[in-house]
């Protein structure tokens, strides 16, 4: 499956980074760089990472999200992960990252993400 990272800027300045496919060792650098670039390019008040279409995450993927969180916090921006699948949510809960990422669930189309 092809991985995709899309960044959009809302009218209120919030940046949304949407990740499709796997978040793992093969693209963790791309994910963290995408979030860092969004913070550097737009200085948003808030960064939202939408994982609705993420299909898998491993420990390096979690590390990429943590790096994105650090970049956002360093620029005084809020940071949230939204739309996780049940499996993805469990991975974040087990690792203690749910609260860290300000996890908010939006009820829309269900996702098929799995975690490592």
């Amino acid at each position: 499956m092809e991985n995709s990272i899309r960044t959009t800027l809302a009218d209120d300045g919030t940046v949304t980074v949407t990740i499709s496919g796997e978040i793992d060792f093969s693209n963790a650098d791309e994910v963290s760089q995408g979030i860092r670039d969004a913070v550097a390019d737009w200085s948003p008040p808030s960064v939202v990472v939408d994982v609705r279409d993420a299909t898998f995450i491993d420990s390096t993927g979690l590390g990429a999200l943590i790096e994105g969180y650090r970049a956002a916090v360093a620029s005084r921006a809020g940071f949230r992960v939204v739309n996780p699948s049940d499996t993805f949510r469990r991975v974040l809960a087990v690792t203690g990252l749910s609260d860290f990422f300000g996890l908010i669930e939006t009820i829309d189309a269900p996702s098929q993400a799995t975690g490592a």
Side-chain angles (χ1 to χ4, degrees):
M1 170 176 255
E2 186 176 316
N3 294 314
S4 175
I5 300 168
R6 188 180 75 237
T7 306
T8 56
L9 180 65
D11 291 339
D12 68 357
T14 298
V15 169
T16 299
V17 179
T18 303
I19 304 170
S20 300
E22 298 181 351
I23 309 171
D24 62 12
F25 69 93
S26 69
N27 71 337
D29 290 340
E30 182 182 352
V31 169
S32 62
Q33 189 63 50
I35 298 168
R36 287 192 307 264
D37 288 348
V39 169
D41 292 348
W42 288 315
S43 301
S46 183
V47 176
V48 175
V49 179
D50 188 341
V51 294
R52 171 178 310 154
D53 296 323
T55 57
F56 176 85
I57 189 162
D58 70 4
S59 60
T60 55
L62 292 173
L65 294 178
I66 291 169
E67 286 184 37
Y69 167 84
R70 288 180 179 154
V73 169
S75 73
R76 301 184 192 272
F79 186 89
R80 296 179 292 147
V81 173
V82 297
N83 297 319
S85 68
D86 290 340
T87 303
F88 202 138
R89 181 179 287 282
R90 280 192 299 276
V91 168
L92 294 176
V94 166
T95 59
L97 295 174
S98 290
D99 293 336
F100 189 70
F101 289 152
L103 192 61
I104 296 173
E105 186 167 3
T106 300
I107 300 173
D108 277 340
S111 178
Q112 301 296 324
T114 59

